[in-house]
Amino acid sequence: MALTDDAIAKIRGMIQSGELPPGARLPPEPQLAAQIGLSRSGVREAVKVLESARVLDVRRGDGTYVTSLGPRLLLEGLGVAVELLRDDTLLEVMEVRRMLEPVATGVAALRMTDAQLDELARILEDMRASADDAEKLIQFDTAFHHTVIATTGNETLTSLLDGLSSRTVRARVWRGLIEGNAAHTTIDEHRAIYLALRSRDQLLAQASALVHVNTSEAWLRTALAATAADA
């Protein structure tokens, strides 16, 4: 493992220094091993790790390349990690969302195009039509928030919030809302966000998003408490 870690560090250093920029092809394994002064087995394992992290792209019969290193690619695994978090840690994830999502929504109010606002209106209508269907609500809820955050133009922020918005958490919240006859209220919160965005009111959009995230967090706490009580 120590040799693999050393190999990872040296390959990562070559990428960070610009010696291996995005899209560059790595030297053949024997040459790379000699170049960084480590065994071929250590290099081979390092490449496997960096491939899993989407830093490298191994193309069979062609070679190994540095990926685009784009935020969406590198942060793609965040969603998988969030799905594996224990219940108590999920509340920490919601806290991070509460810190980031309202501010991002406020920024979106200044940057959304009319076409993007029209798309958001269509998603909102789909949500209203699916008020009693948790699976469809999860789908439209995800689309709604992704559409809003993506309009900030900040790919890192969008990828980060997409990863934090776990499907498992959304499912627990929406099922709890439906069972508690509160789904329509939360859909109205989405409408409040939409209207604030449509009016280009940054502070109102930020406040509306904060109210919504707080509602989701409260219902998640309720769901987790019920699970703990059943256990």
Side-chain angles (χ1 to χ4, degrees), residues 64-206:
T64 299
Y65 294 79
V66 180
T67 66
S68 66
L69 302 179
R72 178 157 296 280
L73 187 65
L74 296 180
L75 294 173
E76 192 175 59
L78 178 61
V80 177
V82 169
E83 290 286 349
L84 296 174
L85 292 176
R86 296 174 62 86
D87 286 350
D88 54 347
T89 315
L90 289 177
L91 291 172
E92 293 185 6
V93 172
M94 290 298 294
E95 185 176 30
V96 175
R97 275 190 63 194
R98 180 155 37 88
M99 293 174 181
L100 297 178
E101 194 165 314
V103 175
T105 303
V107 173
L110 304 179
R111 299 182 181 178
M112 290 192 83
T113 65
D114 288 342
Q116 289 166 334
L117 285 164
D118 290 343
E119 173 61 19
L120 206 60
R122 286 191 290 271
I123 296 170
L124 188 59
E125 287 308 308
D126 288 335
M127 291 182 75
R128 287 195 177 280
S130 308
D132 298 319
D133 187 328
E135 288 303 313
K136 287 185 178 179
L137 281 171
I138 294 165
Q139 174 188 339
F140 296 133
D141 182 42
T142 301
F144 183 96
H145 291 287
H146 174 79
T147 299
V148 172
I149 304 305
T151 60
T152 64
N154 187 317
E155 188 180 357
T156 300
L157 180 62
T158 303
S159 301
L160 182 60
L161 282 170
D162 280 350
L164 292 174
S165 300
S166 158
R167 179 177 176 82
T168 297
V169 171
R170 288 184 189 276
R172 285 182 172 181
V173 169
W174 278 111
R175 285 170 187 149
L177 290 168
I178 290 173
E179 290 171 4
N181 295 316
H184 286 282
T185 300
T186 305
I187 292 171
D188 286 341
E189 291 176 2
H190 285 78
R191 177 170 172 76
I193 294 170
Y194 164 73
L195 291 175
L197 292 167
R198 178 66 80 175
S199 67
R200 312 291 184 182
D201 189 325
Q202 182 178 16
L203 292 179
L204 184 58
Q206 182 171 334

